[in-house]
Each structure stands twice: as structure tokens, then as C-alpha cells.
């Protein structure tokens, strides 16, 4: 047995009203579960949205999960109009990582996963370039090269969807330098997390760090967010910055930016895999 055996995670969101915490706690208690931790938040003192993350221990959870989920939907979720997700902590999320030529975010995720810092299963790495094949396979992870240019985007996305659909729980864009179409996002069937430098929208396009140096920026940062149809406008999960000054050259900014990018992305992926994130409109609440 492991520490995660028989541990469940219950995430929920609904209109706020009295009695929500009591209803959830009462249901779990009657099911024989022991609540290990409970985090909650209401967006307003009254009339807002209520979100909650509950960690509980229930002997035999794997066998009981289907019935528990069905009963919670019937007895609690329907009554309060809740959106909810019930997961098992012992079942790691299955991920695909998409990457182009830059290796820092990809290798950081694979390294942390191998060390046991990220509880996830990496099903594959998909890239529009072959450059990182050997480095990826050294971690024992399949590498799939799918060329993707503007001229063959439809064919490339179709191949990617064949690999991803119904096969993974999350897609991580670890510096994947292609814009994904709305058709791809609608068809992939799971969330996507992206990482980018936090200069957006001030430094859009090529060579953002060179342009940042030319403007004399004082902070280099990165943002991890869920992907939506609107480019780089999805709900933000995590951000961080590092201070820079006039002594830093373009190469320094690129190096420092890469450090921030991989740290921010790894935290965002960790929180998603631990079911710590609840989306509220175009925002996230991270417990």
C-alpha cells in the first residue's frame, strides 16, 4: 500500500448558499469516509460562487468509487446545482507533452517526474521537430515527430488528435511554438496548459527577450495558463518573476527567463495533477 491508497479528492463549484459544507460532510461521513482536509472559498459574502476541495480517506475507495460518485450526484450535487469531480489520489494523471525545439521545460518536467516530484504518467512527447527525440527517449518516454507548418496544419492536428483523444488527461505545451486551432481544442477532450513569458502583450512575436532588453525591463517573468480559443488569454494558474538590471545582456535574460518558465510550468502541472485547481470563469482558484 501507498499513502495515496483509498484517498479521494472531491472538487466542487456551485452558487453559494447556507448548508453546502454540512451537506458534503454529512454525505461523506455516512459513506464511511474520514475527511483529511477541507478547503473552501466563496467569491462574495452572499450571492457569489462557492468552491471546495475536500480530501478524504475511504477504505475500499477504488471498488466503491462508481457508487459513491453516483450517490453524491443524486443526493447532493443535483440538490445544490453543483459541478463536481471525484478522483482517486492513487491514480496519476496521464499526460502528453507537446514541444518544439526548446528543451528546458520538457526536460525539467521529465526530470521532476523521474525523481517523483510530479505524480503523473507521461504517455508521450509530440513535437513538430525531431531535435529532442534522443533526450526524450533517454527518460523512457515515447517521442512522436509530427511535422506541423501552416500549409499542413489540418493534417498535423488530425494526427495529433489520433494520438491524444481518449488517451490522456492533460496536454502540456512545453514551449510548443505552433498556434492550435479551435477545432483541435474542441476535439482533444482534455485541458491544455501553456507556458509563456510574461511580457505579453507588450512583447508579442519573435525575439521577446531582445525586445525586452531594448526597452530596459526590470523584471523577467513567466505565466502558466489553461489554453482557450483566444490566444494567451486563458485562466492563469501560476506566475513568477525575477529582477534584472542594465548589466544583464540578452543571453542573461533568456537564461533567467528559461529558469522562471520551467519553475512556473512545473508548479502549474503539479497543482493540476493534485486536483488543486478549480476554474471560475476566466480565473482559477488554487488550493
Amino acid at each position: 500500500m501507498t499513502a495515496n491508497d483509498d484517498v479521494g479528492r472531491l472538487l466542487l463549484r456551485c452558487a453559494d448558499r447556507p448548508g453546502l459544507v454540512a451537506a458534503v460532510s454529512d454525505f461523506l461521513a455516512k459513506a464511511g469516509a474520514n475527511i483529511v482536509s477541507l478547503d473552501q472559498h466563496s467569491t462574495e459574502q452572499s450571492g457569489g460562487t462557492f468552491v471546495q476541495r475536500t480530501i478524504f480517506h475511504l477504505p475500499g475507495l477504488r471498488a466503491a468509487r462508481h457508487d459513491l460518485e453516483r450517490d453524491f450526484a443524486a443526493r447532493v450535487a443535483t440538490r445544490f446545482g453543483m459541478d463536481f469531480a471525484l478522483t482517486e489520489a492513487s491514480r496519476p494523471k496521464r499526460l502528453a507533452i507537446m514541444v518544439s525545439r526548446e528543451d528546458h521545460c520538457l526536460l525539467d518536467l521529465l526530470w521532476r517526474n523521474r525523481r517523483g516530484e510530479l505524480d503523473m504518467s507521461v504517455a508521450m512527447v509530440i513535437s513538430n521537430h525531431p531535435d529532442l527525440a534522443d533526450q526524450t527517449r533517454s527518460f523512457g518516454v515515447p517521442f512522436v515527430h509530427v511535422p506541423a507548418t501552416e500549409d499542413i496544419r489540418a493534417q498535423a492536428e488530425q494526427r495529433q488528435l489520433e494520438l491524444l483523444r481518449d488517451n490522456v488527461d492533460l496536454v502540456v505545451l512545453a514551449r510548443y511554438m505552433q498556434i492550435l486551432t479551435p477545432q483541435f481544442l474542441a476535439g482533444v477532450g482534455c485541458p491544455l496548459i501553456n507556458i509563456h513569458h510574461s511580457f505579453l502583450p507588450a512583447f508579442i512575436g519573435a525575439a521577446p527577450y531582445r525586445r525586452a532588453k531594448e526597452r530596459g525591463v526590470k523584471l523577467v517573468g513567466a505565466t502558466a495558463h489553461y489554453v482557450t480559443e483566444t490566444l494567451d488569454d486563458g485562466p492563469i494558474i501560476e506566475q513568477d518573476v525575477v529582477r534584472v538590471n542594465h548589466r544583464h545582456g540578452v543571453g542573461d535574460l533568456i537564461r533567467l527567463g528559461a529558469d522562471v518558465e520551467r519553475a512556473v510550468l512545473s508548479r502549474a502541472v503539479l497543482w493540476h495533477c493534485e486536483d488543486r485547481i478549480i476554474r471560475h470563469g476566466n480565473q482559477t482558484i488554487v488550493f
Side-chain angles (χ1 to χ4, degrees):
M1 292 185 62
T2 68
N4 283 335
D5 285 342
D6 297 326
V7 174
R9 300 171 180 150
L10 176 62
L11 275 66
L12 60 89
R13 179 186 61 214
C14 63
D16 196 12
R17 57 182 279 191
L20 294 170
V21 175
V24 174
S25 301
D26 182 64
F27 172 85
L28 290 174
K30 288 179 178 177
N34 179 53
I35 293 177
V36 178
S37 69
L38 189 154
D39 293 295
Q40 65 188 73
H41 175 70
S42 295
T43 59
E44 303 290 343
Q45 291 189 4
S46 64
T49 298
F50 175 84
V51 295
Q52 180 175 299
R53 177 182 186 260
T54 306
I55 309 300
F56 63 90
H57 180 266
L58 177 63
L61 174 62
R62 180 159 297 182
R65 178 186 165 186
H66 176 76
D67 290 343
L68 189 71
E69 198 169 28
R70 180 199 61 202
D71 292 345
F72 184 82
R75 300 176 188 175
V76 182
T78 299
R79 174 185 168 193
F80 292 102
M82 291 176 178
D83 295 324
F84 78 96
L86 195 159
T87 63
E88 298 172 51
S90 62
R91 292 181 180 267
K93 298 285 191 293
R94 185 173 167 87
L95 271 69
I97 302 174
M98 298 180 69
V99 67
S100 290
R101 285 195 169 105
E102 296 186 48
D103 65 358
H104 57 286
C105 287
L106 168 67
L107 296 181
D108 184 71
L109 291 173
L110 296 176
W111 179 75
R112 291 178 188 272
N113 185 50
R114 186 168 66 182
R115 284 174 51 87
E117 295 180 15
L118 294 174
D119 186 21
M120 62 188 191
S121 172
V122 182
M124 72 191 80
V125 170
I126 300 174
S127 180
N128 56 321
H129 296 284
D131 305 47
L132 303 178
D134 290 342
Q135 295 182 72
T136 298
R137 289 171 182 148
S138 70
F139 286 88
V141 175
F143 181 92
V144 185
H145 176 215
V146 181
T149 63
E150 187 173 352
D151 295 338
I152 59 170
R153 178 168 296 169
Q155 300 95 305
E157 290 196 342
Q158 181 58 39
R159 173 57 179 152
Q160 292 164 348
L161 288 175
E162 291 171 357
L163 294 165
L164 297 172
R165 190 187 289 119
D166 300 324
N167 193 25
V168 295
D169 304 305
L170 175 70
V171 175
V172 179
L173 305 182
R175 300 296 291 169
Y176 183 67
M177 307 307 289
Q178 294 284 315
I179 296 175
L180 299 173
T181 67
Q183 292 75 22
F184 178 91
L185 298 179
V188 70
C190 69
L192 296 88
I193 292 178
N194 186 36
I195 184 71
H196 65 66
H197 53 84
S198 283
F199 303 132
L200 293 174
F203 298 103
I204 297 174
Y209 290 105
R210 180 173 299 280
R211 296 174 64 194
K213 173 62 178 176
E214 292 169 354
R215 286 292 305 274
V217 301
K218 307 306 180 190
L219 294 172
V220 168
T223 298
H225 65 92
Y226 287 116
V227 178
T228 62
E229 291 187 9
T230 304
L231 181 63
D232 292 331
D233 194 45
I236 292 171
I237 303 169
E238 171 65 339
Q239 296 176 293
D240 206 350
V241 295
V242 61
R243 185 164 289 280
V244 297
N245 58 42
H246 57 279
R247 294 184 176 87
H248 290 101
V250 174
D252 297 317
L253 298 190
I254 293 173
R255 174 179 54 81
L256 292 169
D259 286 345
V260 176
E261 287 171 13
R262 62 190 185 187
V264 167
L265 181 60
S266 67
R267 289 198 293 267
V269 171
L270 173 66
W271 296 341
H272 182 95
C273 289
E274 292 183 343
D275 298 304
R276 294 184 175 275
I277 306 169
I278 298 178
R279 292 174 63 162
H280 172 56
N282 203 43
Q283 302 177 25
T284 65
I285 296 168
V286 183
F287 289 113

